[in-house]
Amino acid sequence: MMFFMSMPTVMLAEGEENDYDWTPVIDAIIQVESKGNPNARSGIYCGVLQISPVLVQECNNILKRRGSSKRYTLNDRFNVAKSKEMFVIIQSYYNPKHNVERAIRMWQGGCNFNVRSTQRYYERVMSYMR
C-alpha cells in the first residue's frame, strides 16, 4: 500500500528552495526499504527510508556548509517527514541535476555506487514507480 504525502520544502542555500518533486522516487524507495513502516530497523538503518547514522551526519554537514542552523538527530530517522527532508538534502547536494536513476542507485550504493551492484535495487524501486 503506497501513501503519498506532499513533498517537504527544504532550504538549499540562503533564500533558495528545492523545486524538484521527488515524491514518486521517495515513495517507491519507501516501499522497497520498509513497506512504509516508520519504525523499521535493519542493523544501523532505521525508518521508512532506512537511514544510517552516517547519512544523518552528512545532512548536518551539508546544512552547516550552507549556513543553516538546522540539524537532524538519529531519532529523526523515525519521522517520515524529516526522513524525506534528509533524502532531498542529499539529492540536492550530490544529485543537483535531479537524475532519478542516480538518486535510486545512490540511495543504496552511496555517492560512488557501482551500477552492477545496484541493478537489482534499481529495478525493484522502478517497479513501484510504474
Side-chain angles (χ1 to χ4, degrees):
M1 177 172 108
M2 257 201 262
F3 58 93
F4 294 91
M5 295 175 63
S6 63
M7 201 54 227
T9 299
V10 177
M11 297 304 287
L12 301 178
E14 191 63 38
E16 182 183 351
E17 289 183 359
N18 176 56
D19 61 350
Y20 187 79
D21 184 4
W22 285 107
T23 302
V25 177
I26 291 173
D27 288 342
I29 290 173
I30 285 172
Q31 289 307 304
V32 171
E33 294 288 355
S34 68
K35 298 284 188 245
N37 179 1
N39 297 312
R41 290 177 179 261
S42 179
I44 63 169
Y45 304 95
C46 300
V48 291
L49 285 167
Q50 293 295 284
I51 295 175
S52 70
V54 170
L55 189 130
V56 174
Q57 184 58 51
E58 184 58 15
C59 284
N60 289 337
N61 290 341
I62 292 167
L63 289 168
K64 183 178 179 181
R65 278 184 226 123
R66 292 177 175 166
S68 172
S69 60
K70 182 171 187 164
R71 297 295 182 271
Y72 292 97
T73 67
L74 293 180
N75 284 338
D76 289 337
R77 298 178 296 170
F78 297 102
N79 180 301
V80 176
K82 289 181 181 181
S83 293
K84 289 179 177 186
E85 288 173 9
M86 287 188 266
F87 179 92
V88 172
I89 289 167
I90 291 296
Q91 295 304 321
S92 70
Y93 190 80
Y94 290 103
N95 187 13
K97 294 184 179 178
H98 311 118
N99 181 301
V100 170
E101 181 177 351
R102 178 169 174 74
I104 294 166
R105 292 183 188 278
M106 232 174 48
W107 199 252
Q108 190 207 24
C111 296
N112 298 315
F113 63 85
N114 177 289
V115 172
R116 186 173 176 203
S117 65
T118 59
Q119 186 61 32
R120 180 154 161 63
Y121 182 80
Y122 173 72
E123 291 168 0
R124 287 177 63 209
V125 172
M126 289 303 294
S127 74
Y128 283 99
M129 289 183 61
R130 290 187 168 72

